C-alpha cells in the first residue's frame, strides 16, 4: 500500500546516505577534514552500526578512543555549545556497537554533567542554564545504560519544564540549574522557539518529546507520556516547516515513537511529512 511504498523509499534514501558517508571516511577511521567542523563525526558510530557497517563503525570507534577522547571521558573536539548532546550520540553509538571500552568512560563523564534539578549541563563544569536538547538526549543515554534513577530525575525535570510553559505558541527551552523555567522577557538567558515563525530550533521540544516517550516505554510513566502528548500536540500548531525541515528530525522521531505507543495517526503522518521532505531534498550522490 501507500505507506509501505513510502517506507521503501525512506529505507533506500537512508542506504544512499550511508553509502555516501562511507566515501568520506578517512583511512584511519575518522571523518576529520580541514574544510569541516571538527566534531562532524558525532553521529557516525550510530549511523554506521545501525546500517550494518560494523567494520567501519569499529574503525571510527578506534580512532575516537585513540585520538578523540580526554582522560576524563570527555570528547576532545566539541565546543561548549551543545557538547553533551554530541557526546551522547557517541555514547549511544558505541554502546549499541558493544564498544564498552569507549562507552563506559564517556558515560562516567556524562553522569558528572547532571544538574541539581535533574536536567543536564552542556559540560561537567556547569552552565548558567540547562536546556532541553542536551538534557533529553543525555536522559536517553541513561536509559541505554540502565541508570534509571538518573533517567527519572531527568524525566521529572522535563515534565516540570512542560508544566511551566506559559503558552502553547512558544516553547521555552531553558531552565536554571534547579529546574525553574527561564521565560522572563528581560532575562538575557531566556530562549524559546516561536511556533508562529518558520526556521525554528524544533529539536529542543522534539528531543524532549522523544525522551519522554522512551522513558514511558522503559518505566511506564503516565506523567511522561502526558507531557510528550502536550509537546506533540503543540507541534501541530506551529509553522508549516515544523515537520518539513532539517531541524525537525528530532520532532519527527519523537512523533514516530509516540505513534508506536499510542497509535495516534497524526503522529505517524507528521513523521512521514519529515521523511518525505528529506527524501525529496536528497542530492543524487546521497548527501543532503
Amino acid at each position: 500500500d501507500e505507506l509501505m511504498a513510502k517506507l521503501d523509499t525512506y529505507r533506500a534514501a537512508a542506504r544512499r546516505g550511508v553509502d555516501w558517508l562511507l566515501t568520506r571516511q578517512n583511512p584511519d577511521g575518522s571523518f576529520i577534514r580541514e574544510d569541516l567542523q571538527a566534531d562532524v563525526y558525532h553521529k557516525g558510530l550510530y549511523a554506521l552500526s545501525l546500517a550494518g557497517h560494523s567494520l567501519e563503525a569499529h574503525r571510527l570507534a578506534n580512532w575516537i578512543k585513540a585520538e578523540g577522547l580526554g582522560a576524563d571521558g570527555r570528547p576532545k573536539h566539541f565546543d561548549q555549545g551543545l557538547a553533551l548532546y554530541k557526546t551522547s550520540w557517541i555514547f549511544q553509538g558505541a554502546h549499541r556497537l558493544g564498544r564498552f571500552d569507549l562507552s563506559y568512560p564517556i558515560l562516567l563523564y556524562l553522569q558528572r554533567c547532571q544538574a541539581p534539578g535533574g536536567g543536564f549541563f552542556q559540560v561537567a563544569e556547569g552552565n548558567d542554564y540547562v536546556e532541553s536538547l542536551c538534557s533529553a538526549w543525555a536522559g536517553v543515554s541513561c536509559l541505554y545504560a540502565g541508570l534509571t534513577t538518573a533517567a527519572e530525575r531527568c524525566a521529572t525535570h522535563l515534565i516540570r519544564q512542560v508544566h511551566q510553559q506559559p503558552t502553547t505558541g512558544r516553547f521555552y527551552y531553558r531552565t536554571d540549574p534547579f529546574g525553574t523555567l527561564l521565560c522572563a522577557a528581560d532575562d538575557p538567558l531566556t530562549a524559546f522557539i516561536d511556533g508562529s515563525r518558520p526556521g525554528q530550533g524544533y529539536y529542543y521540544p522534539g528531543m524532549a518529546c522523544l525522551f519522554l516517550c522512551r522513558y514511558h516505554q522503559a518505566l511506564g510513566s503516565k506523567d511522561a507520556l502526558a507531557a510528550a502528548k502536550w509537546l506533540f500536540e503543540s507541534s501541530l500548531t506551529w509553522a508549516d516547516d515544523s515537520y518539513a525541515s532539517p531541524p525537525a528530525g528530532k520532532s519527527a522521531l519523537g512523533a514516530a515513537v509516540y505513534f508506536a505507543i499510542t497509535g495516534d495517526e497524526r503522529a505517524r503522518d507528521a513523521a512521514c511529512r519529515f521523511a518525505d521532505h528529506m527524501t525529496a531534498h536528497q542530492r543524487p550522490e546521497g548527501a543532503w
Side-chain angles (χ1 to χ4, degrees), residues 250-262:
K250 282 76 177 176
S251 296
L253 183 52
V257 177
Y258 183 75
F259 166 69
I261 295 169
T262 67

Side-chain angles (χ1 to χ4, degrees), residues 187-206:
D187 187 342
L189 294 179
T190 292
F192 60 88
I193 70 161
D194 183 348
S196 67
R197 301 178 60 184
Q200 300 294 295
Y202 302 117
Y203 35 78
Y204 285 108

Side-chain angles (χ1 to χ4, degrees), residues 173-211:
Y173 54 82
R174 289 178 178 174
T175 74
D176 71 16
F178 297 93
T180 298
L181 192 70
L182 298 173
C183 58
D186 59 351
D187 187 342
L189 294 179
T190 292
F192 60 88
I193 70 161
D194 183 348
S196 67
R197 301 178 60 184
Q200 300 294 295
Y202 302 117
Y203 35 78
Y204 285 108
M207 191 66 90
C209 180
L210 174 58
F211 165 69

Side-chain angles (χ1 to χ4, degrees), residues 106-208:
I106 294 175
L107 179 64
L108 292 174
Y109 172 73
L110 187 151
Q111 290 176 266
R112 291 173 47 212
C113 295
Q114 192 157 31
F120 283 82
F121 292 122
Q122 293 153 323
V123 292
E125 293 77 14
N127 305 94
D128 293 333
Y129 59 84
V130 168
E131 49 73 30
S132 58
L133 182 70
C134 286
S135 293
W137 207 219
V140 172
S141 295
C142 291
L143 291 176
Y144 267 89
L147 300 177
T148 55
T149 298
E152 180 181 12
R153 292 182 60 211
C154 184
T156 299
H157 164 80
L158 288 169
I159 292 167
R160 182 184 177 201
Q161 187 170 355
V162 166
H163 289 170
Q164 292 179 83
Q165 296 294 317
T167 173
T168 57
R170 293 179 175 180
F171 180 74
Y172 291 85
Y173 54 82
R174 289 178 178 174
T175 74
D176 71 16
F178 297 93
T180 298
L181 192 70
L182 298 173
C183 58
D186 59 351
D187 187 342
L189 294 179
T190 292
F192 60 88
I193 70 161
D194 183 348
S196 67
R197 301 178 60 184
Q200 300 294 295
Y202 302 117
Y203 35 78
Y204 285 108
M207 191 66 90

